[in-house]
Amino acid sequence: MLDREQVYDALLKRLRAVSALDEEDVAAIRSIPVAVKNYRANQPIVSDGQRPTECCLLVDGFCFRSKTTSGGLSQILSIHVPGEMPDLQSLYLHVMDHDLLALTDCVLGFISHAALRDLIRARVGVTEALWRDTLIDAAMFREWIVNIGQRPALNRLAHTIVEMRERLKIIGRVKDAQFEMPLTQEQIGDAMGITPVHVSRTIKQLRQENVADLYRGRVTILNEAKLEELADFDVRCLHNKPGL
DNA sequence: TCATTAACTGAGG
DNA sequence: CCTCAGTTAATGA
């Protein structure tokens, strides 16, 4: 029972970070049925080609979206943190065009498409919040493309670190310039389009220049100003409400 | 299994 | 000639 409340809290926190919701919107969200499930690290949540009948909300842990080429190479498209709905698009794009996997062990709340459609029809405030959330998702993809397409490896990694920090900061998961970024170097390579060997070299460079350290899925920022300069991260792409 | 490092290679400026 | 990044292979935690 407590788990269900966590689902609503995570969703409301996320939506309120970007949109205003009135009391009736909140009540409507809290009355929606959810099924809480636990996933193990690396377990697929939704796969390419499937036709999901529900959307999931990440409550705890990390998951990621990826796409695999016919040659078997995989590209990580995005990393998701608690409060996000990584497969919200399946509500209107019925066939999955990529995979969603658990990055760490995680807790997910599943909401049926039918219930979401009812909610959207009943509450314009919720509709607008989800629409906004989807547009923010697209804005982050634009940042991701620019990062991978145009920056050298050092800046690429710095950018990804700052992006994760900014998003984790919103949900209160950055403490003492440290936060979780639980990717292996191979996964970082798949996310940034470089080989794992070069990921290792790049982390070594950040470490040696006292900019940041990345060890066993945990980032420690050593020189915030220098990291941000390398990252060239536009916080506006998060479209977060000021002061939150 | 994951991370580190060296040595070599080629592209491109 | 220099920087960046891929490949290969050996080694360490």
Side-chain angles (χ1 to χ4, degrees):
Chain A
M1 284 300 107
L2 192 66
D3 284 346
R4 283 194 39 165
E5 290 309 312
Q6 276 182 272
V7 177
Y8 301 130
D9 290 345
L11 179 56
L12 287 167
K13 191 171 179 181
R14 165 76 197 139
L15 293 181
R16 282 177 148 156
V18 295
S19 301
L21 295 173
D22 65 29
E23 285 311 306
E24 287 176 83
D25 293 331
V26 173
I29 287 171
R30 285 196 182 279
S31 70
I32 218 177
V34 294
V36 177
K37 292 181 197 167
N38 291 282
Y39 279 75
R40 306 297 287 175
N42 303 314
Q43 195 179 342
I45 300 164
V46 198
S47 302
D48 200 338
Q50 286 184 336
R51 301 175 70 96
T53 58
E54 48 194 8
C55 287
C56 66
L57 174 97
L58 182 57
V59 181
D60 197 25
F62 291 81
C63 60
F64 66 99
R65 288 196 265 177
S66 73
K67 208 170 160 79
T68 303
T69 65
S70 52
L73 300 174
S74 97
Q75 174 68 49
I76 292 180
L77 306 165
S78 59
I79 299 162
H80 295 276
V81 303
E84 297 178 346
M85 299 188 76
D87 67 342
L88 187 61
Q89 60 147 30
S90 71
L91 189 56
Y92 294 111
L93 299 180
H94 303 296
V95 180
M96 285 295 288
D97 55 26
H98 61 277
D99 301 309
L100 175 65
L101 295 108
L103 179 57
T104 61
D105 289 353
C106 55
V107 180
L108 294 158
F110 287 86
I111 303 168
S112 76
H113 285 176
L116 266 177
R117 289 204 189 90
D118 288 346
L119 176 65
I120 281 167
R121 291 190 188 111
R123 302 299 318 164
V124 174
V126 176
T127 309
E128 289 180 349
L130 292 177
W131 175 223
R132 240 176 104 70
D133 200 64
T134 303
L135 293 175
I136 292 168
D137 192 47
M140 291 179 38
F141 274 123
R142 288 190 284 277
E143 281 288 312
W144 196 271
I145 290 168
V146 172
N147 192 41
I148 286 167
Q150 301 299 335
R151 294 193 179 96
L154 188 68
N155 305 75
R156 241 185 257 191
L157 180 58
H159 184 96
T160 306
I161 289 170
V162 170
E163 178 191 326
M164 288 305 294
R165 185 198 60 176
E166 291 303 312
R167 292 166 63 203
L168 289 171
K169 214 156 72 176
I170 294 167
I171 56 171
R173 300 204 185 204
V174 178
K175 288 278 174 330
D176 304 324
Q178 285 199 0
F179 57 90
E180 298 295 320
M181 188 167 130
L183 299 145
T184 63
Q185 292 188 0
E186 181 158 23
Q187 288 170 326
I188 293 172
D190 285 345
M192 307 199 312
I194 58 180
T195 61
V197 172
H198 199 53
V199 172
S200 184
R201 288 195 286 242
T202 307
I203 291 171
K204 184 185 177 185
Q205 194 181 344
L206 282 177
R207 198 178 281 141
Q208 281 180 340
E209 293 179 14
N210 277 297
V211 175
D213 197 4
L214 182 47
Y215 180 67
R216 294 180 63 172
R218 172 157 281 269
V219 174
T220 306
I221 295 174
L222 304 169
N223 184 336
E224 190 172 3
K226 203 165 166 190
L227 181 69
E228 282 170 3
E229 189 190 329
L230 289 171
D232 188 28
F233 182 76
D234 185 356
V235 289
R236 291 176 308 167
C237 83
L238 299 174
H239 298 273
N240 215 39
K241 284 200 292 196
L244 280 172

